[in-house]
Amino acid sequence: MEYKKKILITGGAGFIGSHVVKRFVKNYPEYQIFNLDKLTYAGNLENLREIENESNYTFLKGDIVETEFINKIFEHHQFNGVIHLAAESHVDRSIANPLEFIITNIVGTTTLLNAAKNTWKDNSNDNLFYHISTDEVYGSLGKEGFFTEETAYDPRSPYSASKASSDHLVRAYFHTYKLPVVISNCSNNYGSYHFPEKLIPLTINNIKNNKPIPVYGKGENVRDWLFVEDHARAIDVIFHKGRIGETYNIGGNNEWTNIDLVNLLCKIMDVKLYREAGTSAKLITFVKDRAGHDLRYAIDSSKLQNELGWKPSLQFEEGLEKTVDWYLANEEWLNHVTSGAYQNYYETQYHKR
Ligand code: NAD
Ligand code: TYD
């Protein structure tokens, strides 16, 4: 079959990437979707079971940093579009080991940009390099105000500094080489298939197992939470309708202090697990604060809402309840992740023939 587009999605075995891959494979049978992923600790092919045998889906195992490999797949497959999500994504890990973030997030992005630039010599209108980024590049807000697309970059963790750097490089390739690019910066995501090192899945998992819930500092830091499928839908809209060279902020308009969020999760979990009200909240344990902990993130997504007609679909309480239900119904996924068994899935799935 002759496909209308060949799209390379990087990091498609991760949390957000797997939602994006599933959305594109299911909604666009006329597109051929390639998922390139190194399968680091955060990459889990079990996230993609429901589409792994679809004829318009291909998994490519590889590292975005490896120039020769990246050039080869661009030359071989002649992708029309790239949706780039592959990254090291956890702030605490970036504090412990910044270099890995520099290598994947900056060098890896540049390797992909070079490959796209060299392949798309006579940029047709059909080509697009879509870079997925974070609101953390804008730094930390006080009690007032929102991040807009015009807010000056002020990254403060090795993670956000590496993402900011990759955003700058994407813009540099647009201005210098006329590479057709678009960027979006999104707030904190939550939902199914979220690796349980991040606040929400970690809290759900610890409550389930009666383990302490670690809240950094006093729990007063604020994040703007967005349901992951709403992010995937925004990516779909921006990929198809976003203006070349533009940046779009994506957010939930949904600010919560960590402690209020954890308390809400405790309440939901008490009901779901038939525990007496107040049982889970007893697990809350205040621990040493994260170094350089950003106080508040909050996104103004009016450009995306007004220009492209996207808006968040779910109320937070509803989305959180759905998320808790998913984790409780998918014990096997969670057990495989916490035991490390998910890392064997590639071997069993792809080397069985
Ligand atoms: P994740 O850590 O769950 O997944 C990252 C994926 O990238 C994994 O599958 C991993 O195996 C893959 N990967 C890592 N290094 C690679 C390399 N060198 N080569 C190829 N693949 C590699 O991350 P996520 O939370 O799904 O985030 C995806 C993207 O969205 C990231 O770019 C992140 O900065 C951005 N983002 C995340 C959030 C959030 O709340 N999680 C919010 C805004 C933006
Ligand atoms: P996280 O999910 O790591 O996302 P990010 O740091 O990218 O916003 O953390 C969300 C918030 O929760 C952040 O303010 C740090 C805090 N946090 C805790 O209080 N305890 C934890 O165990 C973790 C992982 C995070």
Side-chain angles (χ1 to χ4, degrees), residues 10 13 19 77 81 84 86 88 93 105 108 124 127-129 143 156 158 166 178 191 193 197 217 254 327 337 353:
T10 70
H19 285 276
H77 294 293
H84 173 38
E88 287 293 338
R93 286 181 190 254
N105 298 358
S124 80
N127 296 140
L128 182 66
F129 190 103
K143 295 220 177 307
R156 294 150 47 101
S166 63
K178 308 282 172 262
Y193 300 100
E197 65 180 355
N254 177 42
Y327 278 93
V337 171
R353 294 165 197 128

Side-chain angles (χ1 to χ4, degrees), residues 7-14 17-18 21 33-40 43-45 48 57-67 69-74 77 79 81-87 104 108-109 111-112 115 129 346 350:
I7 302 172
L8 176 68
I9 300 180
T10 70
S18 60
V21 166
I33 304 299
F34 295 86
N35 169 17
L36 165 64
D37 200 294
K38 182 181 175 182
L39 300 183
T40 67
N44 183 352
L45 288 176
L48 294 157
Y57 172 70
T58 305
F59 177 66
L60 306 169
K61 185 172 189 296
D63 190 334
I64 56 167
V65 169
E66 284 178 20
T67 310
F69 166 76
I70 295 297
N71 288 345
K72 212 155 84 194
I73 61 168
F74 269 78
H77 294 293
F79 309 118
V82 176
I83 305 178
H84 173 38
L85 296 108
T104 288
T109 300
T111 305
L112 289 167
F129 190 103
Y346 178 76
Y350 289 89

Side-chain angles (χ1 to χ4, degrees), residues 135-140 146-155 168:
D135 61 355
E136 303 190 27
V137 298
Y138 297 121
S140 180
F146 296 91
F147 297 134
T148 73
E149 290 80 0
E150 273 72 50
T151 303
Y153 275 31
D154 183 22
H168 289 321

Side-chain angles (χ1 to χ4, degrees), residues 257-314:
T257 61
N258 292 336
I259 190 64
D260 286 349
L261 164 55
V262 166
N263 270 312
L264 175 58
L265 270 175
C266 287
K267 247 169 81 181
I268 297 175
M269 291 289 283
D270 280 346
V271 174
K272 299 282 175 190
L273 298 173
Y274 308 104
R275 292 179 181 169
E276 199 186 320
T279 309
S280 301
K282 291 196 185 114
L283 297 169
I284 295 174
T285 311
F286 292 96
V287 298
K288 187 169 175 279
D289 208 353
R290 173 185 280 172
H293 198 171
D294 287 341
L295 178 65
R296 175 171 164 255
Y297 304 142
I299 279 273
D300 175 346
S301 63
S302 49
K303 177 176 174 184
L304 175 62
Q305 302 210 20
N306 297 338
E307 251 188 44
L308 305 184
W310 172 92
K311 60 177 191 316
S313 72
L314 277 187

Side-chain angles (χ1 to χ4, degrees), residues 14-16 37-38 40 43 63-64 85 89 133 159 163 186 189:
F15 165 48
I16 302 170
D37 200 294
K38 182 181 175 182
T40 67
D63 190 334
I64 56 167
L85 296 108
S89 71
S133 194
Y159 164 65
K163 291 296 291 186
C186 188
N189 285 211

